[in-house]
């Protein structure tokens, strides 16, 4: 939805910080809406915007295609390989790593997220966020190690484990939950996922976390919170991410696990700053205003454009963003898709298929209302439940 029915504010210079999915979509939306002023895009990475989902999938398998449609529309004018180090809110400017000060009338914060790290990361311990990380890990996976130890069984850890098995490596997967992704997928899917990993040769070490890595220059072992030590020469630390807000510390923007935004993605208390993508936390109207931060591709893809349009329209004419979070991952050939926010539920029910057949769907309800769904190899059923989530339906209303 464009802002054709909204009035465009008088802004001359818009700065977008973060040149990835959300930042790119913001720039495209500004131009699509007919904004004719200056747009400055600032990106810390040396690359043009690219697609991250293939990094833990096809790229590790040898396919280099990470192209992101639309990136080719950027001319060379954008600031590549440059990091914003501070925001001066009162004077409306962004300071870069070489002290250049860039003034703005409107600012889009799209600085995403970066991997959480333990204090010491000797070589041999990899994280996976950028294309450079993926190429380094790919080389390491092909360097003759017998085993890879994956720390954290979230979607990136699970995808790396799955790819490593396909490449013929032994895999140990350490995860603090009873089953991998139990917080995200609920009890029944995560229990199935644990079995699925094991049936594909992954050695699971559940219910414990890695507290440190042994080895001076090179990792030799991981130390677990339950006192055990596992020998390891190649480790992937998939410990989740933290929002890229370090450069905003002390700026006056409200930060709380992300940039705290209004429902229309304006940074709270401002009229000229919006945030989008992995870095934004906003009250989700579909869930009674529960503040959420969503680390999914489709969220960054949509929010970048919505935030930019709202910036042009101004807070009074801005529209809330209430897209349904949705996400897909693959593990050993199985496709797991989620819609909504299953973790908000007080009840989960298998509504179709069966875990024993590796094809089933789970509905997540809160006080009887659908708030989320997870499907294993069942895309059509997921779509049906997704519609129910959007309609705040009960399960009965959906089946009749
Ligand atoms: C390996 C991997 C696999 C994934 N797979 C899936 C998947 O299958 N499905 C799915 O839905 N999602 C997936 N995701 C998540 C998805 O890629 C993210 O949700 C999406 O990239 C978020 O986009 P973004 O633009 O908000 O942030 P990011 O993509 O994190 O980009 C932020 C950009 O801002 C730059 N930046 C940060 N700070 C500064 C600064 N101070 N100054 C200048 N630039 C800065 C960063 O360098 C980065 O380029 C995956 C992510 C990874 C890493």
């Amino acid at each position: 939805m464009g802002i054709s029915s909204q009035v465009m504010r008088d802004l001359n210079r818009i700065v977008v910080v973060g040149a990835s999915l959300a930042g790119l979509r913001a720039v495209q939306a500004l131009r699509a809406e007919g904004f004719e002023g200056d747009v400055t895009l600032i990106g810390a990475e040396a690359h043009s915007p690219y697609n991250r989902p293939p990094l833990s999938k096809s790229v590790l398998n040898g396919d280099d295609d990470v192209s992101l449609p639309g990136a080719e529309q950027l001319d060379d004018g954008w600031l590549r390989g440059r990091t914003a180090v501070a925001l001066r809110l009162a004077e409306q400017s962004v300071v870069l790593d070489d002290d250049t000060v860039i003034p703005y009338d409107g600012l889009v914060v799209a600085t995403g997220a970066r991997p959480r790290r333990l204090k010491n990361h000797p070589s041999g311990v990899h994280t996976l966020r950028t294309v450079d990380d993926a190429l380094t890990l790919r080389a390491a996976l092909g360097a003759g190690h017998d085993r890879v130890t994956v720390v954290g069984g979230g979607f990136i850890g699970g995808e790396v484990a799955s790819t490593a098995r396909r490449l013929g490596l032994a895999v140990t997967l350490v995860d603090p939950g009873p089953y991998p992704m139990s917080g995200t997928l609920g009890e029944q899917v995560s229990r199935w996922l644990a079995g699925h990993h094991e049936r594909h040769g992954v050695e699971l070490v559940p219910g414990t976390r890695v507290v440190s890595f042994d080895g001076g220059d090179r990792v030799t072992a991981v130390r677990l919170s339950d006192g055990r030590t596992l020998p390891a020469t190649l480790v992937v630390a998939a410990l989740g991410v933290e929002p890229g807000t370090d450069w905003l510390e002390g700026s006056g923007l409200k930060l709380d696990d992300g940039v705290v935004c209004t429902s229309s993605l304006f940074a709270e208390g401002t009229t000229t700053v919006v945030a989008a993508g992995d870095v934004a936390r906003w009250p989700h109207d579909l869930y009674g205003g529960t503040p959420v931060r969503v680390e999914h591709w489709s969220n960054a893809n949509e929010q970048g454009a919505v935030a930019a349009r709202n910036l042009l329209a101004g807070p009074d004419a801005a529209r809330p963003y209430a897209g349904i979070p949705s996400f897909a991952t693959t593990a050993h050939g199985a496709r797991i898709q989620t819609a909504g926010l299953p973790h908000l539920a007080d009840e989960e029910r298998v509504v179709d298929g069966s875990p024993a057949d590796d094809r089933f769907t789970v509905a997540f309800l809160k006080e009887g209302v659908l708030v989320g769904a997870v499907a294993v190899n069942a895309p059509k059923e997921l779509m049906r439940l997704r519609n129910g989530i959007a309609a705040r339906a009960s399960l009965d209303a959906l089946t009749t």
Side-chain angles (χ1 to χ4, degrees), residues 4 14 18 24-25 45-46 48 77 85 114 121 190 202 205 207 220 278 348 374:
S4 44
I14 294 180
L24 174 65
R25 295 296 180 246
E45 292 185 66
S48 288
V85 295
R114 53 158 186 252
H121 263 230
S190 63
V202 174
V205 183
T220 54
D278 283 13
E348 59 170 270
V374 181

Side-chain angles (χ1 to χ4, degrees), residues 13-20 23 27 39-45 77-85 94-97 100-102 107-108 110-111 247:
R13 180 160 197 173
I14 294 180
V15 171
V16 179
V17 184
S20 182
V27 172
V39 177
T40 306
L41 175 63
I42 301 162
E45 292 185 66
W78 65 282
L79 301 178
R80 180 195 299 245
R82 302 291 294 279
T83 302
V85 295
V94 168
V95 184
L96 300 190
D97 43 3
T100 308
V101 175
I102 304 194
L107 174 68
V108 181
T111 42
W247 68 286

Side-chain angles (χ1 to χ4, degrees), residues 17-23 42-45 52-53 55-57 82-84 110-113 128-129 155-156 159 244 247 276-279 295-298 300 326-328:
V17 184
S20 182
L21 180 58
I42 301 162
E45 292 185 66
R52 293 188 203 279
L55 300 181
S56 47
K57 308 173 183 76
R82 302 291 294 279
T83 302
T111 42
L128 182 51
R129 185 75 193 177
F155 72 87
I156 290 182
E159 287 176 358
W247 68 286
D278 283 13
V279 77
E295 298 160 0
H296 300 165
W297 192 95
S298 57
S326 55
F327 173 76

